[in-house]
Amino acid sequence: MSKKPICRLLRIDLSRESTGVELLSEADHRRYIGGASLACYHVLKDSTPNSDALSPDNVLCFAVSPLTGTAGPGFSRFTVAAKSPLTNAYGEAEAGGWWGPELRYAGYEGIIIRGRATKPKYIWINDGKCQLRDATHLWGLSTRDAQAAIRQEVGDDRARVALIGPAGENLVRYACILNELKHANGRCGMGAVMGSKNLKAIVTRGKSRDVPIWDPDTAQAIARDVHGRVPDFSDSFGTLGTTGNVEYLQLLNMLPTRNFSAGRFEDSSAISGETLLDTLMTGRATCAICGVRCKRVVSADEPWDIDPAYGGPEYETLAALGSLCGVGELAAIAKGHELCNALGLDTISTGNCIAFAMECSERALLPDDWAAGLDLRFGNAEVMLQLIQMIASREGLGHILADGVQRMAERLGPEAEAFAMHTKGQEWPTHEPRGKWGVALQYAVSPTGADHMEADHDPGFEERTPALQAVAPLGLVDTIPATDLGDGKVRMVVYLQLLYNVYNTLSICDFVASPIGPFSIAELVDYTRAVTGWDVSLWELMKVGERFGAMSRIFNYREGLTDADDRLPMRAFERLKESEVTLDQATLASALQAYYGMMGWDPEGRPTQAKLAELDISWAMEHTD
Ligand code: SF4
C-alpha cells in the first residue's frame, strides 16, 4: 500500500530527563528532507546562540532520511550535528554501518538532544519506546566492552549501538562516535559533545523493518537495477576500497607526508592498500544494504595484537597515522587504528596532531616539559601509539594535543602556526590541495573546517572520464586542469558541493552515488520520487543542498566566524617539493569572491536576505544579527 513519508523526531532533554515526540510538517519535511539538512535546520533553530559547544545548551542532532533503510544500495548513513568543540563552528559527521536504518525501523527519523545528565546515561530506543538508562558502570570502558555490556543489558545481540569511548568522556575535541566498533562519525568532535552531556550511547532496535514507500514497484525496480551493477563496482572499487589512494596519490606526488612537508613517502608501498590486502587483511566488512563491501578487516598477533572487531584502516587512517607521521610500519598503523576505535578518536585529527607535535619537536619549538622524555622524531611508531593513548586520557603532552593543532599552535606562536595544518580549527584530511585546487577551495569554504568529502576531487575531471560524463546532468561538461581555480573550476566546486549536500541530506553513501559509484543522478531523483511520493526534480534537490549551505553559513556567522576564517595555513602557499606549481593567495582570494557570488552571498561571504528568501528560509535572517 502506498504510504507517504513522515518525519518523527524524538526530543530528549537530559537535564530534565524528559522525552517527547514531534511530527515535522510535510512542507518542512520536503524542505529539509533529512540527514544533514534536517540536522542543520535543528542545530541552527534550536541551539542557544553563542553557547559553549560543551555546555548543556548545545543541541546534538541525529538524523536519517526518508530513503534510509529502503532497498536501494547505500542508504545506510546518518548524520550527527552540533556546534563543534573543535572549531566553534557548525559541526557535522556522517557514518555508515547499521545504526541509521535501525533508528528508522525503531520508529524515528531524528533525535534532538539538549541538556546534560547529572550522571552517565545511555538512551535505549526499542520499537518506538524510549528509555534513559544508567551508564555509570559503562563510563571509562572501551567501545568494545561498553557495546558488549549494553547488548547484554538490553538482551539483544542485534541492538545497534552508537557510542563514545574514553576520549569522548574526556572531552577530547576531536572525539568521534562509533557504531559496530568500526563505522565512525569521525569529524568535528561529535563524541566530545556526547561526553559533555554525560551520554555514553544511543541504542536502537526495531523489529518491524517497515518504512513508508509511496510506489514500491518503481522503487524496487530502480533498486534492482542499481544492485545489478554493484558486483562490478565491488570488484573495481571494493577490492582495495579507499586504501588504493596510497599508491595513487604517491604516483601524483600528493601523498601527504611528514605533516604535509612533502608529497612522496619513501615507504608508501609498505603502507599501501595492496600490502594491507596481502598481509594483515582477513576480510571485508560492509554497511547495511550494500554489496560493495569496501571496508577492511585486519588482525595480527605480533608485533601487536590487533583485534578484528574494530575493522581496519581506510586510506585516511593509513596516511594520517602513516605517511603524515613518517611511520612506515603497517602493523603499527593498524594497531593505531584499533586504538582510535577502541578509545573513540577521529584518526584524521589524531594523526595530524601527532605529526604536528613531531615537526614542532624536530624544529625545537616544543618546551621541554611538554615533550617530557618522549622521542618525537618522525617515524617513531611506538611514540605514535603511545600518544594516541595519552590523547584519549589527556595525559601529559596528550592533554595539549587533545585540543587540536590550532590551539596548540596558538600557544607556540607564529612559527608553529605557519605549519599547523587546519582550517577553521579542523585538521586537514589527508588530501593535498596544492595539487588539486578545487580541494583547496573546498577546504577554505567548508562550514565544518577542512573536509575532503565536500565534492569530488579535481583529477577526475582533467580528462573526458566516466566521472565527467556522470556529472553532465549538472551541466558540467568541460575538462579543467587540477591546478586551475578560475570561474569554471569554482562553478564546478559549487555544483558538486551542492550535489554532495544532497547526498548527505538523502543519507546515501558518497561511494555508492555517482560519480564514484553506480547510482546515477537521474536514478537517484527517480528513486526519491518513488519512495516519497513527492514530485521532486533534480533542481529541487539541488535547492535543498543550497539551503543546507546557507543555513550552515548563517550558523557560523551567528557564532562569530567570518570570511576571514575561509583561509588556509601558510604552508598551503609554499611550493610542494615535488611540484612545479604553487597556489598563491591572490588566486584563492579571487576564487573565494567568485564562490560567494555564485552562492548568492555578499562580498564578505554572508548569505543575503534575497538569497534566504529565494531558498524559502527567510526565518534564518533572525540568526544573522
Ligand atoms: S560503499 Fe562502502 S562505505 Fe559505502 S555503504 Fe557500501 S560498504 Fe559502506
Side-chain angles (χ1 to χ4, degrees):
M1 194 177 71
S2 296
K3 286 194 229 160
K4 285 260 187 183
I6 55 170
C7 183
R8 289 194 356 142
L9 299 169
L10 182 58
R11 282 196 183 269
I12 300 175
D13 188 324
L14 289 167
S15 300
R16 296 171 188 212
E17 300 203 6
S18 65
T19 65
V21 179
E22 160 184 318
L23 274 187
L24 201 66
S25 70
E26 185 176 1
D28 277 344
H29 198 189
R30 185 161 169 168
R31 200 173 282 122
Y32 307 109
I33 299 185
S37 293
L38 183 66
C40 184
Y41 168 61
H42 283 287
V43 168
L44 174 59
K45 192 170 69 70
D46 298 346
S47 62
T48 307
N50 298 305
S51 55
D52 189 310
L54 297 174
S55 78
D57 290 332
N58 198 4
V59 164
L60 177 66
C61 189
F62 291 69
V64 296
S65 91
L67 281 62
T68 303
T70 60
F75 292 108
S76 58
R77 295 183 77 78
F78 66 100
T79 296
V80 182
K83 182 175 180 178
S84 164
L86 186 63
T87 63
N88 286 323
Y90 175 69
E92 180 190 301
E94 272 73 30
W98 270 261
W99 190 91
E102 203 71 33
L103 176 68
R104 262 206 112 197
Y105 302 148
Y108 299 99
E109 279 68 38
I111 310 172
I112 302 163
I113 303 166
R114 64 184 309 143
R116 173 186 290 146
T118 50
K119 57 183 185 175
K121 296 279 181 191
Y122 71 90
I123 298 168
W124 171 219
I125 303 167
N126 183 21
D127 276 332
K129 298 191 196 75
C130 174
Q131 282 179 357
L132 300 182
R133 290 189 163 195
D134 180 46
T136 310
H137 56 300
L138 305 172
W139 212 245
L141 293 187
S142 68
T143 52
R144 179 178 173 150
D145 290 349
Q147 177 177 278
I150 288 169
R151 282 182 169 159
Q152 192 171 27
E153 278 180 30
V154 302
D156 193 333
D157 275 352
R158 301 192 67 182
R160 304 301 180 184
V161 184
L163 82 175
I164 60 171
E169 298 166 11
N170 293 326
L171 309 183
V172 175
R173 290 180 188 272
Y174 44 89
C176 69
I177 301 169
L178 274 300
N179 77 89
E180 303 298 306
L181 308 180
K182 53 178 93 60
H183 305 279
N185 300 90
R187 309 239 63 201
C188 298
M190 297 297 98
V193 177
M194 274 182 74
S196 75
K197 296 185 175 307
N198 267 333
L199 180 59
K200 180 73 179 179
I202 305 178
V203 189
T204 55
R205 187 72 171 116
K207 303 223 171 59
S208 149
R209 310 195 96 57
D210 195 24
V211 292
I213 296 183
W214 179 253
D215 179 352
D217 292 344
T218 303
Q220 274 294 347
I222 297 168
R224 203 179 313 114
D225 278 357
V226 183
H227 277 294
R229 297 196 295 275
V230 162
D232 282 349
F233 180 61
S234 177
D235 286 347
S236 60
F237 172 77
T239 303
L240 287 176
T242 59
T243 66
N245 269 324
V246 174
E247 289 292 51
Y248 168 67
L249 291 172
Q250 171 86 348
L251 262 179
L252 297 179
N253 296 327
M254 283 196 280
L255 179 62
T257 299
R258 295 186 177 82
N259 197 37
F260 291 91
S261 64
R264 289 186 66 80
F265 182 46
E266 63 278 10
D267 289 328
S268 69
S269 67
I271 66 164
S272 69
E274 290 82 350
T275 304
L276 189 76
L277 189 64
D278 291 343
T279 56
L280 302 177
M281 200 166 134
T282 54
R284 281 164 62 175
T286 192
C287 305
I289 326 156
C290 184
V292 179
R293 299 189 303 121
C294 75
K295 302 281 187 173
R296 316 290 87 184
V297 178
V298 304
S299 86
D301 297 326
E302 56 179 4
W304 291 281
D305 183 22
I306 300 170
D307 184 347
Y310 292 104
E314 298 188 38
Y315 162 70
E316 290 291 337
T317 307
L318 291 174
L321 301 180
S323 54
L324 210 58
C325 295
V327 170
E329 293 167 61
L330 189 59
I333 299 169
K335 183 65 185 177
H337 162 86
E338 180 215 79
L339 286 173
C340 285
N341 281 13
L343 299 168
L345 284 170
D346 172 37
T347 57
I348 298 175
S349 285
T350 301
N352 265 272
C353 287
I354 294 170
F356 180 62
M358 287 173 163
E359 181 161 0
C360 287
S361 173
E362 293 204 350
R363 288 170 176 253
L365 294 175
L366 278 192
D368 289 345
D369 57 329
W370 286 21
L374 294 167
D375 177 2
L376 286 165
R377 274 173 299 181
F378 278 118
N380 188 339
E382 291 284 357
V383 88
M384 180 268 286
L385 295 174
Q386 193 179 347
L387 277 172
I388 290 173
Q389 303 187 68
M390 291 170 71
I391 290 168
S393 58
R394 281 188 169 271
E395 176 198 342
L397 180 60
H399 183 57
I400 297 164
L401 295 181
D403 287 332
V405 299
Q406 180 183 29
R407 288 172 176 82
M408 179 167 162
E410 283 168 359
R411 294 173 68 174
L412 292 173
E415 190 178 346
E417 283 181 300
F419 59 86
M421 306 308 285
H422 71 87
T423 296
K424 297 185 178 74
Q426 172 135 270
E427 290 75 18
W428 273 17
T430 49
H431 292 273
E432 176 53 78
R434 281 174 285 183
K436 30 189 183 182
W437 291 1
V439 172
L441 180 61
Q442 291 176 46
Y443 280 10
V445 296
S446 168
T448 59
D451 180 2
H452 61 295
M453 298 302 284
E454 288 279 308
D456 294 279
H457 294 191
D458 313 52
F461 306 108
E462 288 195 293
E463 293 170 16
R464 301 220 161 271
T465 58
L468 188 58
Q469 282 167 14
V471 296
L474 304 180
L476 297 173
V477 293
D478 294 321
T479 60
I480 308 182
T483 50
D484 178 301
L485 205 43
D487 286 350
K489 177 63 72 64
V490 176
R491 174 172 168 267
M492 179 176 270
V493 170
V494 167
Y495 287 9
L496 291 173
Q497 197 181 34
L498 298 188
L499 182 70
Y500 271 53
N501 291 348
V502 172
Y503 292 166
N504 286 342
T505 294
L506 298 178
S507 304
I508 185 171
C509 176
D510 295 337
F511 300 148
V512 172
S514 181
I516 299 175
F519 216 132
S520 75
I521 293 171
E523 285 170 321
L524 191 59
V525 175
D526 289 344
Y527 190 71
T528 305
R529 291 165 69 102
V531 170
T532 63
W534 300 331
D535 53 348
V536 293
S537 59
L538 176 58
W539 186 87
E540 181 179 345
L541 290 177
M542 293 290 275
K543 283 290 162 190
V544 176
E546 192 177 355
R547 199 170 287 132
F548 164 83
M551 288 190 297
S552 53
R553 188 77 181 181
I554 291 285
F555 180 90
N556 282 355
Y557 266 86
R558 188 187 81 180
E559 301 301 309
L561 281 81
T562 69
D563 56 332
D565 296 290
D566 296 339
R567 65 182 175 82
L568 305 180
M570 283 311 295
R571 177 161 285 170
F573 305 104
E574 293 167 7
R575 191 173 63 79
L576 190 60
K577 271 184 203 150
E578 301 82 359
S579 173
E580 312 264 294
V581 290
T582 311
L583 173 63
D584 63 79
Q585 301 206 43
T587 300
L588 181 62
S590 164
L592 281 167
Q593 281 305 311
Y595 178 90
Y596 299 159
M598 289 184 201
M599 290 295 283
W601 301 353
D602 70 17
E604 280 77 49
R606 191 190 297 248
T608 62
Q609 189 164 1
K611 175 48 73 176
L612 297 181
E614 189 262 327
L615 292 172
D616 201 14
I617 50 171
S618 290
W619 59 267
M621 269 314 283
E622 72 188 61
H623 294 275
T624 62
D625 297 333

